[in-house]
Amino acid sequence: MIKPNLKKPIHFLAVGFGSGLLKPAPGTWGTFVGLLVAILFWEITHSPFFFLVLTLISFISGCYICQKTADDLQVHDDGRIVWDEIVAIFLMFAFLPEYNTLYYILTFIVFRLFDILKPYPIRYFDEKFESGLGIMLDDIIAAIFALISLHLIYVII
């Protein structure tokens, strides 16, 4: 198994600043790091618009970052690549119903459920797209499903 070179900025970002190298469940660790970064950015900006812009930039660059790292590691969507989870959390922070500890915890849990279970059409995109776009897209769709769920929870509560 080829190891990511953390001295390469692209690999460092792709593995979520090293969180994707943690075991077990690197995707969960990457999501956790994404959540911490998002909370920090939220406390600084208090701006959903900031998160929209951040998501767009991170998604576009992430297609390249994830593809290049996958090529270097010679494994498509290597589990250590967690940039896609981080960007999905950024998207969620653009549309959270509330910005508080309860919704931060729910964001983490509900996103992980959709990312792990991959109900249709998430699994379809995960299996059919073999590029950096595919690596990124299934997590973005999981984030959208998670956001819908969070808004339903918000309405019920």
Side-chain angles (χ1 to χ4, degrees):
M1 177 182 290
I2 299 172
K3 292 184 178 183
N5 181 350
L6 297 181
K7 292 180 181 177
K8 290 185 176 181
I10 288 175
H11 286 200
F12 185 67
L13 291 172
V15 299
F17 318 109
S19 62
L21 304 177
L22 298 173
K23 294 180 182 180
T28 299
W29 289 108
T31 302
F32 183 68
V33 165
L35 182 66
L36 293 178
V37 171
I39 292 169
L40 174 66
F41 284 164
W42 178 259
E43 291 301 317
I44 293 169
T45 67
H46 292 279
S47 172
F49 180 74
F50 169 82
F51 279 95
L52 278 175
V53 173
L54 180 63
T55 300
L56 182 63
I57 293 167
S58 300
F59 180 84
I60 292 168
S61 61
C63 290
Y64 174 75
I65 289 167
C66 293
Q67 183 62 56
K68 174 70 173 131
T69 303
D71 290 345
D72 291 349
L73 300 179
Q74 299 176 356
V75 178
H76 172 70
D77 205 0
D78 187 293
R80 298 170 293 181
I81 297 173
V82 296
W83 184 253
D84 46 339
E85 278 86 1
I86 292 170
V87 175
I89 295 297
F90 292 165
L91 173 62
M92 292 184 70
F93 263 68
F95 298 101
L96 286 179
E98 293 278 339
Y99 295 87
N100 58 42
T101 303
L102 172 63
Y103 278 91
Y104 298 158
I105 293 167
L106 289 172
T107 294
F108 179 83
I109 293 169
V110 175
F111 171 73
R112 286 308 298 150
L113 283 173
F114 281 107
D115 191 33
I116 291 166
L117 297 175
K118 297 192 186 316
Y120 182 83
I122 300 167
R123 184 172 306 282
Y124 173 83
F125 284 96
D126 185 50
E127 294 173 351
K128 298 297 181 190
F129 287 76
E130 300 225 351
S131 63
L133 176 64
I135 294 171
M136 295 295 299
L137 203 52
D138 70 298
D139 288 271
I140 293 299
I141 298 168
I144 292 168
F145 277 51
L147 276 168
I148 292 167
S149 299
L150 289 177
H151 280 273
L152 289 172
I153 290 168
Y154 179 77
V155 169
I156 292 168
I157 293 177

